[in-house]
Amino acid sequence: MTTDSRPGRPVRILVFGAALRAGSTNARLASLASKLIAETGAEVDLARMRDFDMPLYDGDAEDAEGLPSGALALCERIKRCDAFVVSSPEYNASVPGLLKNAVDWVSRARPQPFKTKHALLLSSSPSMIGGNRGLWALRVPLEHLGTRVYPDMFSLPRAHEGFTEDGRLAHPGSEDRLAETICGFMRLVSADVQFVCLQRRWYEFPGDRTDAPVTHRTEG
């Protein structure tokens, strides 16, 4: 599905928490982020990792059966959006295997859907640093695949006590900081959707280079 980039149409954002647990604080953070994004006038697609069930990546299985249905579903949701926001837990100071596996599967789709998409990374953790180490690890595969990962990230520490009963952030100043991060991200995404504003100057492989001097969002 091509992306509609007509001037004036709302920006489309996919938001999901990268955990399976029903009570995940990252699911709660993703839900709050989706509300703040909707307040900017964007269209929000709020998803759960359970929407994208898939086995561990296996090259033999891919050769025999192609991409699993969960990977195809995630691939389609990414194609429909202009940008995505992921709230990820931190497992042993790194990215969760569940999310890395999903990235590995989806990267096998052609055309590869992560390329040129904007992404904002969030995390929540019971630790004092809020899962920030996991987000640095997550940037590596996404940026390798051509995702434009927003420089600012948001990490919520002490997440087990970080939410109010109505789903807002309890720590003083946390929600203002989250809202400011989202606002800056949305301004960048909106500018890139409505105008040709980002030039591509770096290529991972020589064969990846095209003759196009700029990346046009209107190409879909």
Side-chain angles (χ1 to χ4, degrees):
M1 177 179 294
T2 59
T3 299
D4 178 3
S5 295
R6 294 172 297 179
R9 62 96 172 157
V11 171
R12 301 189 185 104
I13 309 291
L14 171 65
V15 183
F16 63 95
L20 294 176
R21 186 168 62 88
S24 166
T25 58
N26 281 281
R28 298 180 72 179
L29 186 58
S31 179
L32 175 58
S34 71
K35 294 174 183 176
L36 295 174
I37 291 168
E39 291 174 1
T40 71
E43 292 182 358
V44 180
D45 178 11
L46 180 59
R48 307 172 303 165
M49 283 305 292
R50 289 191 181 276
D51 298 335
F52 312 121
D53 184 42
M54 60 192 85
L56 292 176
Y57 178 75
D58 181 341
D60 291 338
E62 180 188 7
D63 290 341
E65 304 170 14
L67 271 63
S69 59
L72 291 172
L74 179 54
C75 183
E76 186 63 24
R77 300 278 276 274
I78 293 172
K79 287 180 180 179
R80 292 175 184 172
C81 73
D82 299 301
F84 63 92
V85 177
V86 55
S87 183
S88 175
E90 177 185 285
Y91 289 177
N92 297 313
S94 189
V95 59
L98 174 74
L99 180 56
K100 180 58 165 61
N101 185 60
V103 170
D104 291 342
W105 268 116
V106 172
S107 72
R108 302 297 295 170
R110 294 294 180 270
Q112 192 268 100
F114 290 112
K115 192 172 183 178
T116 75
K117 296 292 182 182
H118 291 277
L120 174 62
L121 305 185
L122 317 175
S123 66
S124 68
S125 169
S127 78
M128 293 299 292
I129 60 173
N132 202 45
R133 294 168 300 186
L135 295 187
W136 283 112
L138 179 56
R139 295 185 74 98
V140 174
L142 291 178
E143 291 180 336
H144 170 78
L145 292 169
T147 304
R148 292 164 173 159
V149 183
Y150 192 60
D152 294 342
M153 304 183 291
F154 177 87
S155 295
L156 179 68
R158 306 197 324 269
H160 56 290
E161 57 186 26
F163 292 88
T164 63
E165 291 185 1
D166 62 354
R168 314 303 292 200
L169 295 186
H171 300 156
S174 291
E175 190 156 329
D176 288 342
R177 184 164 57 89
L178 175 61
E180 289 173 2
T181 302
I182 286 174
C183 185
F185 175 68
M186 292 303 299
R187 283 197 295 264
L188 175 63
V189 175
S190 296
D192 194 28
V193 168
Q194 302 301 338
F195 308 101
V196 177
C197 66
L198 293 179
Q199 296 185 353
R200 189 169 183 219
R201 296 298 189 211
W202 181 86
Y203 297 85
E204 176 70 16
F205 306 105
D208 191 33
R209 186 174 181 85
T210 67
D211 294 330
V214 296
T215 299
H216 291 267
R217 303 299 285 180
T218 53
E219 291 176 354

